[in-house]
Amino acid sequence: MEQGTGPLVLLVHGFPESWYSWRHQLAALAAVGYRAVAVDVRGYGRSSKPDGVAAYRMLELIEDNVAVVHALGEETAIIIGHDWGSSIAANSALVRPEVFTAVGLLSVPYAPRGGPRPSEVFSQMGGEEEFYVSYFQEPGRAEAEIEPDVRGWLAGFYAALSGDTMPTSGMPNPHFATRGGTLRERFPTGPLPFWLSQDDLDVYAREFERTGMSAALNRYRNMDRDWEDLALWDAAPIVQPSVFIGGALDASTTWLADAIDAYPVTLPGLVSSHLLDGCGHWIQQERAHEVNQLLTGWLASLPT
C-alpha cells in the first residue's frame, strides 16, 4: 500500500500481521511530504511464498527490501519496522547501508548478532514451560493449533500482547506453553483490544485463512540460519540516524532492556528513544497518534 510523494519510507510489519498494521501511519507520513509504502513481507498477504524454510532467511528478506526500493524507481529509502519488521529493518540498514539511509525500530530493540546459537538460548527459557519461539520451530506444529480457527487464535494473540487486555501480573505468561500444551490455552478470552475492531480482525484473518501460517512462521525457523549468515556483522553497530519506540508493558522491551541500555554503542546514530507508558506490543496501532508524532518529528530531524 502506498500514499504520498517525496522521499521513500518503507514500512515493514511483523508477526502475525500485514501491510495493514501501518494503516494509521501511511496518511500521517504522506501528509508531511513522504512517499510511504507498507509492504507485505515475503510469505504474508499478497507477497510471494516460495517453498522451503530457508527461503525466509534474513538475507533473503533484506534483498526483498532492496528490490522493492529499486522497483519503486528509487536508489535509497528510510526504513521503519515493527516486531520482526524491526529486526528486518535493522539488518537491512546494517547489511545494505548504501540503500537504507535511516532506520526506525518499533517494539523490538536492536541487539547485534552475537552470543550463543539462538535455539540454545530459547530452549533454556521457561524451565518446565516452553518458550513460544521454541514452540514455533517444528514445521506443522503451530499450524495445527492456529489454522483450524485462525480468527479466534489471532484475536487471542493480539489481546495477549496488548496493553489493555494482556494477562495481569501473576497470571500464566502467554509467551510460554506447558509441555505438550498450546499457546492458546493462555490467551485472554474477553473483548478485543480497544484498537482492534471486528473489521480489522477480519482483514488479518482473511489473509491468513487464505495463505495458511507456515510461510509466516518460517521466519522463526530461520533464527539459527540467520545467526550463521550474519557472522560477518557480529557485534556490529548501526550507524545511520535511528529512532526507537517501544511499549513499557511489552515483554520485548523488558526482556531486552539491556539492549536498550547499550544503544550508545550499538546505535551511535540514535536520535531518540521512547517507551510509551501503558502500551503493549502493537504499538503503532495502540498509540497511533503518538507514534505518528514521534516518527514525523524524527523524520523532520534527518538531514536532507
Side-chain angles (χ1 to χ4, degrees), residues 63 102 161 187 227 261 268 271-272 280:
E63 291 310 306
L161 305 187
F187 292 169
W227 181 82
D261 291 341
V271 174
S272 59

Side-chain angles (χ1 to χ4, degrees), residues 122-202:
F122 297 134
S123 67
Q124 296 170 10
M125 296 178 65
E128 294 302 310
E129 299 179 331
E130 187 174 17
F131 190 46
Y132 79 101
V133 177
S134 297
Y135 180 84
F136 284 163
Q137 292 303 305
E138 181 185 344
R141 184 183 178 195
E143 290 92 326
E145 174 186 344
I146 302 168
E147 290 178 353
D149 178 20
V150 169
R151 193 178 192 280
W153 194 91
L154 290 175
F157 191 72
Y158 296 146
L161 305 187
S162 180
D164 63 318
T165 51
M166 64 175 53
T168 56
S169 178
M171 297 180 68
N173 190 329
H175 295 89
F176 295 86
T178 58
R179 299 288 174 177
T182 65
L183 291 172
R184 186 170 182 167
E185 293 169 359
R186 296 190 170 180
F187 292 169
T189 57
L192 294 178
F194 77 93
W195 54 268
L196 183 70
S197 71
Q198 296 289 345
D199 288 344
D200 294 332
L201 181 58
D202 285 341

Side-chain angles (χ1 to χ4, degrees), residues 113-121 124 223-224 227:
R113 185 266 187 211
R117 186 177 294 272
S119 61
E120 297 173 1
V121 175
Q124 296 170 10
M223 297 181 77
D224 282 352
W227 181 82

Side-chain angles (χ1 to χ4, degrees), residues 57-59 219 222-230:
R57 69 206 308 160
M58 184 63 72
L59 291 179
R219 176 83 293 274
N222 276 283
M223 297 181 77
D224 282 352
R225 188 174 284 111
D226 296 339
W227 181 82
E228 296 169 355
D229 287 346
L230 296 170

Side-chain angles (χ1 to χ4, degrees), residues 33-295:
Y34 289 88
R35 184 185 185 187
V37 175
V39 298
D40 279 337
V41 172
R42 177 184 293 215
Y44 289 80
R46 308 293 162 157
S47 71
S48 62
K49 297 164 189 64
D51 294 333
V53 172
Y56 299 86
R57 69 206 308 160
M58 184 63 72
L59 291 179
E60 295 282 1
L61 302 183
I62 292 168
E63 291 310 306
D64 284 351
N65 289 336
V66 173
V68 168
V69 172
H70 292 163
L72 292 169
E74 304 289 348
E75 295 298 322
T76 62
I78 298 159
I79 190 167
I80 301 173
H82 168 257
D83 181 75
W84 262 121
S86 178
S87 297
I88 297 167
N91 282 290
S92 295
L94 182 67
V95 174
R96 297 299 299 269
E98 77 283 7
V99 176
F100 299 104
T101 59
V103 59
L105 309 176
L106 273 59
S107 295
V108 175
Y110 174 59
R113 185 266 187 211
R117 186 177 294 272
S119 61
E120 297 173 1
V121 175
F122 297 134
S123 67
Q124 296 170 10
M125 296 178 65
E128 294 302 310
E129 299 179 331
E130 187 174 17
F131 190 46
Y132 79 101
V133 177
S134 297
Y135 180 84
F136 284 163
Q137 292 303 305
E138 181 185 344
R141 184 183 178 195
E143 290 92 326
E145 174 186 344
I146 302 168
E147 290 178 353
D149 178 20
V150 169
R151 193 178 192 280
W153 194 91
L154 290 175
F157 191 72
Y158 296 146
L161 305 187
S162 180
D164 63 318
T165 51
M166 64 175 53
T168 56
S169 178
M171 297 180 68
N173 190 329
H175 295 89
F176 295 86
T178 58
R179 299 288 174 177
T182 65
L183 291 172
R184 186 170 182 167
E185 293 169 359
R186 296 190 170 180
F187 292 169
T189 57
L192 294 178
F194 77 93
W195 54 268
L196 183 70
S197 71
Q198 296 289 345
D199 288 344
D200 294 332
L201 181 58
D202 285 341
V203 171
Y204 290 121
R206 280 196 300 265
E207 288 294 74
F208 286 112
E209 287 167 352
R210 184 179 59 82
T211 64
M213 299 300 300
S214 291
L217 288 163
N218 281 343
R219 176 83 293 274
Y220 292 92
R221 296 164 184 163
N222 276 283
M223 297 181 77
D224 282 352
R225 188 174 284 111
D226 296 339
W227 181 82
E228 296 169 355
D229 287 346
L230 296 170
L232 185 63
W233 292 272
D234 189 74
I238 295 173
V239 300
Q240 297 96 311
S242 57
V243 64
F244 174 74
I245 311 171
L249 299 181
D250 187 359
S252 298
T253 59
T254 54
W255 287 339
L256 293 172
D258 289 347
I260 296 174
D261 291 341
Y263 279 169
V265 173
T266 61
L267 292 178
L270 185 71
V271 174
S272 59
S273 180
H274 312 269
L275 284 180
L276 307 187
D277 289 338
C279 185
H281 183 67
W282 316 107
I283 188 165
Q284 77 269 40
Q285 298 174 87
E286 292 187 49
R287 296 291 182 83
H289 178 68
E290 194 168 354
V291 167
N292 290 347
Q293 286 187 315
L294 291 171
L295 288 178

